[in-house]
Amino acid sequence: MSATMSPAVPKPDHVADAAVYDFDMFADPAYVADPHKRILDLVKNAPPVFWTPRNGGHWMIMSHEANFAAARDIETFSSNFIPKERLAAMQAQMPRHLPMPLPINVDPPDHTKYRAPLQKVFSPKTINGLKDSIRELAGQLIDKIKADGKCDFMTSVAEPLPVVVFLKMLGLPLERMEEYREIVSQHLSDPTPNPIDSIKKLWRIVDSIKDTLEERRVNPQDDIISMLWKTEIDGQPMTMADMENYSVVLFIAGLDTVMNGIGHGVRYLATDLPLQDRLRQNPELVGEASEEMLRRFTFTVPPRIIGKDAVFNGLEMKKGERAMLFLPAADLDAKAFANPDTYNLDRENKTHIAFNAGVHRCLGSHLARVELQVCYEEMLARLPRFRLDPANPPTFHCGHVVGVSSLHLVWDT
Amino acid sequence: MKIRIEKASCAGNARCAAVSEELFPLNEDGYIAVDKVDVPEGKEQLARRGARACPERIIFIEEE
Ligand code: HEM
């Protein structure tokens, strides 16, 4: 992906000179070339909390302690980017329901209300029941490429796997997979779209699901859509607008993330053949290996808006400013993890915050963990030692999700 | 050994239960179901590991 640095904006007066550090979280060239290498460099050289003049100017929360504190201080670090009143005014201008990715973009108490119906559906218990079918889907994708001796892992496994899992869980027709993959890739193609384009993309997601939503309302089946129809929000029956909101959040939060998590993990595995050997001999270690993968290559950057004037980490922050919880740096902080740059399967403490902490802790973390672990297990079981293709090094893209764009692997057949 | 859990701050990571479902039971939503654990003899090491696994740092060993 081509990356052009955004222009630097002037520093506001209340930001101390020492708190300024120039970093473009979308387009810094070294970052886009090899994201986690650049993050290690930032962890060493940038302040634990800093203000960057790029992308309109915003705070970057870097250290583990600061991210941990920010995730809990929801009054200062709010997720409520658009106030309710403005949202209602926007909605009044729209020809149809404006889907909202609830509960990700609201603070408690609304957050609690909208998250509650989803909890049980994504609990460890429910998700464990899906493990076998996820394994089967992963196995099918890997078997398809096995004889080729090479693949672009992103397009052949990492991207389709979460899409088929999503379709299966929601009870959407699997034959429509290509259509959904197309919507995902369109959704991802422009990481900083204008607001109208983003709304149109959300409508496209809803359009692709709406017939199934309507059908399940009258003919419940064994899937999430049917389960959600039977749930209430704060004592009120579920409406079509609520269902559109949930469909959109699951689409946005559950596909791109898993795909890139698998990408980072498999890229690392392809560079560490002794680790592959050890895991092939001891498949029971893959769960732990997957946790250390999440820590070493934490890859999401949740945004916040400063909800009130505050002093955080000794720095003055003003209401309305934006802050990024730069979780990838938190999990590479030497104060939290000894020798953070080392991938260490035997590290005892792997309490990373790749899924963030506090009330917005990833709702899909149990599902994501199963998808990642099962995918690594099946790759290791079905393929011999796989390596990076020296002729085609991996490429990346950066933003709120730090992702793998292409990952060419080779193996002996 | 006795363990105290700040149940209200549980964010549902379920990492404690990944170490031991028996010591750290979860409710239907996947959040911790108890605020105290009386650790049976012989399970101390497991209990310590479960406490350390909590990303929210809300599991405390009260009595060794
Ligand atoms: C490895 C994969 C994944 C990673 C690293 C990840 C990461 C995250 C993070 C960091 C947050 C917190 C956002 C914030 O604080 O603003 C979050 C929230 C969320 N995630 Fe995930 N996620 C992953 C997979 C999934 C999956 C598979 C689903 C569902 C199908 C999902 C659904 C959600 C939802 C609904 C939220 C909002 C929760 C809330 O605001 O209460 N995620 N995720």
Side-chain angles (χ1 to χ4, degrees):
Chain A
M1 201 168 287
S2 76
T4 318
M5 295 251 279
S6 74
V9 301
K11 167 185 88 66
D13 288 340
H14 66 279
V15 177
D17 285 332
V20 178
Y21 195 89
D22 190 347
F23 177 68
D24 189 322
M25 65 172 275
F26 290 94
D28 177 277
Y31 188 43
V32 178
D34 194 351
H36 288 86
K37 193 166 163 206
R38 175 71 169 120
I39 297 165
L40 282 172
D41 173 66
L42 284 175
V43 168
K44 282 207 189 83
N45 298 309
V49 174
F50 68 81
W51 184 88
T52 172
R54 301 290 162 181
N55 299 297
H58 62 85
W59 295 100
M60 289 282 284
I61 315 297
M62 304 290 287
S63 70
H64 197 280
E65 255 336 289
N67 271 293
F68 189 79
R72 272 164 188 68
D73 181 356
I74 48 182
E75 280 176 29
T76 308
F77 294 92
S78 166
S79 297
N80 213 350
F81 275 85
I82 311 176
K84 259 190 189 169
E85 307 72 53
R86 226 181 86 212
L87 210 60
M90 277 165 73
Q91 177 63 74
Q93 307 282 313
M94 295 283 164
R96 57 187 279 198
H97 174 66
L98 186 58
M100 282 292 124
L102 297 168
I104 210 163
N105 63 339
V106 284
D107 295 331
D110 280 348
H111 174 267
T112 320
K113 179 167 113 182
Y114 291 111
R115 181 160 166 140
L118 296 171
Q119 298 276 27
K120 202 173 152 189
V121 181
F122 285 93
S123 73
K125 203 163 138 194
T126 319
I127 297 302
N128 266 331
L130 299 173
K131 205 166 179 174
D132 291 342
S133 68
I134 294 176
R135 188 177 302 286
E136 200 185 312
L137 296 169
Q140 285 165 0
L141 291 170
I142 298 164
D143 282 347
K144 246 191 250 168
I145 50 164
K146 189 172 172 169
D148 300 342
K150 65 180 173 89
C151 71
D152 174 3
F153 181 73
M154 296 314 291
T155 50
S156 45
V157 181
E159 185 220 302
L161 178 63
V163 177
V164 284
V165 170
F166 173 85
L167 297 179
K168 238 188 138 97
M169 275 185 85
L170 268 76
L172 298 165
L174 288 189
E175 309 83 74
R176 278 164 62 187
M177 162 151 166
E178 287 311 316
E179 180 190 338
Y180 286 92
R181 287 183 63 176
E182 161 61 30
I183 302 176
V184 175
S185 81
Q186 204 196 43
H187 182 74
L188 301 181
S189 61
D190 182 6
T192 49
N194 70 48
I196 293 301
D197 284 350
S198 346
I199 292 169
K200 283 195 183 140
K201 283 184 193 169
L202 298 179
W203 279 334
R204 191 158 175 218
I205 298 173
V206 170
D207 287 340
S208 71
I209 298 179
K210 197 144 186 176
D211 49 349
T212 311
L213 290 178
E214 272 158 3
E215 209 270 327
R216 293 302 191 280
R217 186 178 208 167
V218 283
N219 282 321
Q221 313 257 325
D222 179 22
D223 55 41
I224 297 187
I225 293 179
S226 309
M227 266 165 101
L228 285 174
W229 270 125
K230 285 182 232 157
T231 323
E232 294 184 335
I233 298 186
D234 211 18
Q236 300 297 314
M238 200 68 72
T239 63
M240 187 50 106
D242 295 322
M243 292 297 287
E244 290 187 12
N245 293 340
Y246 284 142
S247 309
V248 162
V249 78
L250 297 180
F251 193 98
I252 294 176
L255 301 181
D256 179 21
T257 46
V258 173
M259 162 192 327
N260 288 299
I262 298 176
H264 287 296
V266 168
R267 183 237 185 166
Y268 180 73
L269 277 172
T271 62
D272 189 343
L273 301 184
L275 177 67
Q276 284 191 36
D277 295 346
R278 187 172 165 199
L279 294 175
R280 281 199 184 85
Q281 275 151 25
N282 307 279
E284 74 286 355
L285 293 178
V286 175
E288 281 295 306
S290 179
E291 286 305 304
E292 177 68 348
M293 228 55 110
L294 282 163
R295 182 204 66 82
R296 178 64 183 80
F297 302 102
T298 296
F299 62 92
T300 68
V301 183
R304 292 291 185 268
I305 183 157
I306 304 298
K308 58 168 196 206
D309 291 357
V311 175
F312 182 78
N313 243 51
L315 299 168
E316 213 180 309
M317 299 184 176
K318 296 263 188 228
K319 184 172 172 169
E321 290 176 343
R322 290 173 309 129
M324 303 300 154
L325 306 182
F326 200 60
L327 305 178
D331 284 336
L332 290 171
D333 183 343
K335 288 211 179 89
F337 303 99
N339 303 316
D341 55 331
T342 307
Y343 177 95
N344 179 3
L345 174 56
D346 303 310
R347 185 186 295 281
E348 211 252 24
N349 166 19
K350 301 188 183 73
T351 52
H352 59 75
I353 47 174
F355 293 112
N356 204 3
V359 295
H360 289 281
R361 187 273 310 165
C362 176
L363 174 85
S365 64
H366 311 302
L367 172 61
R369 281 189 157 107
V370 168
E371 291 189 66
L372 296 173
Q373 182 180 335
V374 163
C375 186
Y376 301 145
E377 282 168 358
E378 294 308 305
M379 281 291 283
L380 291 162
R382 285 166 202 261
L383 296 184
R385 283 178 154 196
F386 48 88
R387 307 173 299 278
L388 295 181
D389 177 355
N392 272 312
T395 55
F396 302 92
H397 54 273
C398 297
H400 294 288
V401 171
V402 178
V404 184
S405 308
S406 67
L407 178 59
H408 293 272
L409 302 179
V410 291
W411 57 88
D412 299 334
T413 49
Chain B
M1 182 191 258
K2 281 193 171 26
I3 285 186
R4 177 175 61 86
I5 304 173
E6 275 171 19
K7 195 169 164 228
S9 303
C10 175
N13 289 280
R15 299 314 292 157
C16 55
V19 173
S20 169
E21 272 180 80
E22 189 194 335
L23 287 174
F24 302 100
L26 304 180
N27 67 18
E28 281 290 295
D29 285 349
Y31 286 60
I32 190 77
V34 297
D35 55 9
K36 289 198 283 295
V37 183
D38 272 323
V39 180
E41 215 150 301
K43 301 268 182 197
E44 291 83 358
Q45 196 51 28
L46 210 55
R48 270 187 217 105
R49 269 183 49 216
R52 278 199 298 267
C54 177
E56 311 292 330
R57 305 181 206 154
I58 55 160
I59 307 182
F60 303 93
I61 298 182
E62 293 280 273
E63 245 175 69
E64 282 290 334

